[in-house]
Amino acid sequence: EDQVTQSPEALRLQEGESSSLNCSYTVSGLRGLFWYRQDPGKGPEFLFTLYSAGEEKEKERLKATLTKKESFLHITAPKPEDSATYLCAVQEVEDSSYKLIFGSGTRLLVRP
Amino acid sequence: DTGVSQDPRHKITKRGQNVTFRCDPISEHNRLYWYRQTLGQGPEFLTYFQNEAQLEKSRLLSDRFSAERPKGSFSTLEIQRTEQGDSAMYLCASSRGQGSSQPQHFGDGTRLSIL
């Protein structure tokens, strides 16, 4: 069965303290891996799509990378406004619906 | 691009009542999805529309749930005879349907509370 596992479940950082979030996945064939940010009471906000191992994407203080088994979301010098839940999701290559299979997320708190 | 719009944002109802939610996708998106999210979990897929056709339904979607997308525009999700376990955030997402995988864009959801 397809699975997406995110770690850690929660992470507390001081402002400026860089770290990484992990997303490991098991699918028969990966069509795409997606990172979303979700604020309390809001829907997920799209950040990145990664399609193949070795691919990297950057946006401000965030950088996403992909290997054959996992993805990392690196946060460099985070600010309090980066506090949110970060969700990882995969699409399977044989799935004609393109539905997303999500992990449970990592809750990030950045303290000033 | 006005984003995905969902209505209502919150719904409180008594067990056994019927509820209906509406989703207005981004106008040029022909794919529409419904997901359910409970506290501390990621969204779980419920159903998928390509234009007006409902092409896939999850095992999570019991016969008390029905979804429509008339004319391939807005969509509605109805829950009949609500149960305590239906309490969750119901999220709608839409995406383009051409070429390689396109990101899904989400609305801010409808939070359902069953008394």
Side-chain angles (χ1 to χ4, degrees), chain A residues 1-66:
Chain A
E1 183 177 329
D2 300 337
Q3 280 197 325
V4 180
T5 304
Q6 293 189 244
S7 62
E9 290 185 6
L11 181 62
R12 290 186 177 186
L13 300 174
Q14 287 295 135
E15 184 172 1
E17 180 187 1
S18 301
S19 188
S20 295
L21 314 182
N22 177 264
C23 171
S24 62
Y25 61 91
T26 54
V27 293
S28 56
L30 182 70
R31 184 192 300 274
L33 185 141
F34 299 79
W35 283 98
Y36 285 85
R37 168 191 171 128
Q38 187 173 28
D39 293 301
K42 300 286 190 179
E45 175 188 350
F46 171 70
L47 294 174
F48 304 109
T49 309
L50 301 166
Y51 295 105
S52 57
E55 189 174 0
E56 298 181 351
K57 295 275 180 72
E58 285 190 68
K59 179 181 180 180
E60 296 180 355
R61 296 176 292 282
L62 301 177
K63 179 180 177 181
T65 62
L66 181 65

Side-chain angles (χ1 to χ4, degrees), chain A residues 31-32 34 36 38 41-44 46 49 51 87 91 95-100 102-105, chain B residues 9 31 33 35 37 40-43 45 48 56 89 91 99-108:
Chain A
R31 184 192 300 274
F34 299 79
Y36 285 85
Q38 187 173 28
K42 300 286 190 179
F46 171 70
T49 309
Y51 295 105
L87 295 165
Q91 282 179 346
D95 185 350
S96 60
S97 77
Y98 294 78
K99 65 176 173 288
L100 296 172
F102 280 89
S104 296
Chain B
R9 291 295 316 280
R31 290 184 177 146
Y33 301 81
Y35 292 84
Q37 186 177 27
Q41 300 298 313
F45 169 77
Y48 157 63
E56 186 170 334
M89 173 79 88
L91 292 163
S100 63
S101 181
Q102 298 291 326
Q104 293 177 24
H105 297 275
F106 285 80
D108 283 337

Side-chain angles (χ1 to χ4, degrees), chain B residues 39-105:
Chain B
L39 198 62
Q41 300 298 313
E44 293 178 292
F45 169 77
L46 292 178
T47 191
Y48 157 63
F49 289 85
Q50 173 98 9
N51 298 311
E52 67 275 11
Q54 187 175 20
L55 298 182
E56 186 170 334
K57 292 191 288 187
S58 163
R59 292 170 299 168
L60 295 175
L61 214 64
S62 77
D63 56 8
R64 295 185 298 106
F65 288 70
S66 62
E68 295 182 342
R69 193 183 182 195
K71 303 179 181 179
S73 56
F74 71 93
S75 177
T76 58
L77 178 68
E78 181 183 14
I79 310 174
Q80 294 183 328
R81 304 181 303 282
T82 52
E83 301 174 355
Q84 291 280 349
D86 297 332
S87 295
M89 173 79 88
Y90 290 84
L91 292 163
C92 177
S94 69
S95 70
R96 297 177 189 273
Q98 295 83 23
S100 63
S101 181
Q102 298 291 326
Q104 293 177 24
H105 297 275

Side-chain angles (χ1 to χ4, degrees), chain B residues 11-37:
Chain B
K11 180 70 176 179
I12 302 173
T13 192
K14 294 182 179 179
R15 183 169 52 92
Q17 297 295 304
N18 299 343
V19 294
T20 300
F21 312 139
R22 177 180 170 121
C23 170
D24 287 273
I26 295 171
S27 58
E28 64 268 27
H29 288 183
N30 60 347
R31 290 184 177 146
L32 187 146
Y33 301 81
W34 286 97
Y35 292 84
R36 181 169 69 187
Q37 186 177 27

Side-chain angles (χ1 to χ4, degrees), chain A residues 69-105:
Chain A
K69 295 290 185 183
E70 57 192 354
S71 177
F72 292 93
L73 185 65
H74 309 276
I75 304 177
T76 302
K79 298 182 178 181
E81 53 262 41
D82 295 322
S83 298
T85 295
Y86 290 86
L87 295 165
C88 169
V90 300
Q91 282 179 346
E92 189 177 6
V93 68
E94 294 182 355
D95 185 350
S96 60
S97 77
Y98 294 78
K99 65 176 173 288
L100 296 172
I101 302 168
F102 280 89
S104 296

